[in-house]
Amino acid sequence: GAGVSQSPSNKVTEKGKDVELRCDPISGHTALYWYRQRLGQGLEFLIYFQGNSAPDKSGLPSDRFSAERTGESVSTLTIQRTQQEDSAVYLCASRTGLAGSTDTQYFGPGTRLTVL
Amino acid sequence: AQSVTQLGSHVSVSEGALVLLRCNYSSSVPPYLFWYVQYPNQGLQLLLKYTSAATLVKGINGFEAEFKKSETSFHLTKPSAHMSDAAEYFCAVGGTGFQKLVFGTGTRLLVSP
């Protein structure tokens, strides 16, 4: 597709349930990022994938959060046993990922997660 | 470590007035600096970026920003505000390598007629 797409656009779940959020990066982009944006706050880095390298998980807030990426395509962010504090917009971004490049991160529209 | 400080969570201007959104950064390596805009219920869109070339960077929609190393600043300006500029603006800093971006907390720009 022309841009980064994310699904679902909105997700309402009950506390304690698991959720999966999906990101489709721009075709050919080897680098993929997940960020979290809580209401009224900036973006927090969660996790980064680059090609076949081990992902950088340094931003994941707890072991309830995990993410996978299939090759250089779709990524899924999973939150287990959701808590109300997980309510936020989850944003995905991708870039070409050329070594040492300063190319732009392109963002998807986000998934708004509400935990009741 | 890198960090970004955006002064003012809200900035209000009149249509046609100068827009100035402030961003100061901290970085232990030569920084790459970005301004993104977020319209309601949308993702982030890149306005402009500084990548160690010209210190005055021109972006889309008439915005520009100047990198001032001595002041560790990268303020965003636009000579004349339009109603359509009302949005949230984020400054971000990145380094070399995988370029994880560190974002400021954002500034909401309000434009009144």
Side-chain angles (χ1 to χ4, degrees):
Chain A
V4 178
S5 60
Q6 293 185 245
S7 61
S9 55
N10 282 283
K11 177 70 176 179
V12 180
T13 190
E14 294 179 349
K15 179 181 174 181
K17 301 282 190 183
D18 298 351
V19 295
E20 282 190 356
L21 312 180
R22 176 186 170 107
C23 172
D24 283 89
I26 293 172
S27 178
H29 281 193
T30 62
L32 185 147
Y33 306 75
W34 283 98
Y35 294 87
R36 178 172 70 178
Q37 183 179 24
R38 286 176 163 152
L39 186 64
Q41 298 185 24
L43 279 71
E44 304 170 68
F45 166 79
L46 296 177
I47 189 169
Y48 159 77
F49 295 90
Q50 171 63 62
N52 294 319
S53 301
D56 180 336
K57 304 179 182 180
S58 60
L60 294 179
S62 77
D63 59 7
R64 296 187 295 104
F65 287 72
S66 63
E68 294 184 348
R69 188 179 186 193
T70 306
E72 295 183 350
S73 60
V74 172
S75 176
T76 302
L77 177 69
T78 301
I79 309 173
Q80 296 180 308
R81 306 180 302 281
T82 52
Q83 304 294 313
Q84 290 182 334
E85 70 217 36
D86 300 333
S87 296
V89 176
Y90 290 82
L91 290 161
C92 176
S94 72
R95 69 180 185 103
T96 62
L98 296 174
S101 77
T102 58
D103 57 310
T104 301
Q105 289 189 25
Y106 293 90
F107 283 81
T111 294
R112 182 176 300 277
L113 175 65
T114 303
V115 182
L116 301 177
Chain B
Q2 297 177 311
S3 67
V4 170
T5 301
Q6 290 185 243
L7 293 176
S9 59
H10 292 79
V11 170
S12 295
V13 300
S14 298
E15 192 172 20
L18 171 71
V19 176
L20 171 61
L21 305 182
R22 299 179 185 275
C23 172
N24 288 88
Y25 70 91
S26 172
S27 178
S28 57
V29 297
Y32 299 122
L33 293 157
F34 305 79
W35 276 100
Y36 282 86
V37 61
Q38 186 177 34
Y39 297 102
N41 299 314
Q42 296 187 26
L44 276 70
Q45 178 183 4
L46 181 72
L47 275 178
L48 48 81
K49 65 181 181 182
Y50 166 77
T51 57
S52 75
T55 56
L56 181 62
V57 181
K58 294 187 183 297
I60 62 172
N61 301 339
F63 285 92
E64 63 181 37
E66 185 172 10
F67 172 69
K68 292 187 177 180
K69 184 178 179 180
S70 61
E71 299 178 7
T72 60
S73 69
F74 191 57
H75 301 331
L76 182 71
T77 61
K78 182 174 180 177
S80 177
H82 293 168
M83 296 295 290
S84 60
D85 294 327
E88 185 129 27
Y89 293 79
F90 292 94
C91 182
V93 62
T96 56
F98 71 84
Q99 204 193 105
K100 178 182 77 175
L101 295 181
V102 175
F103 284 82
T105 52
T107 298
R108 184 169 298 279
L109 177 65
L110 306 170
V111 183
S112 57

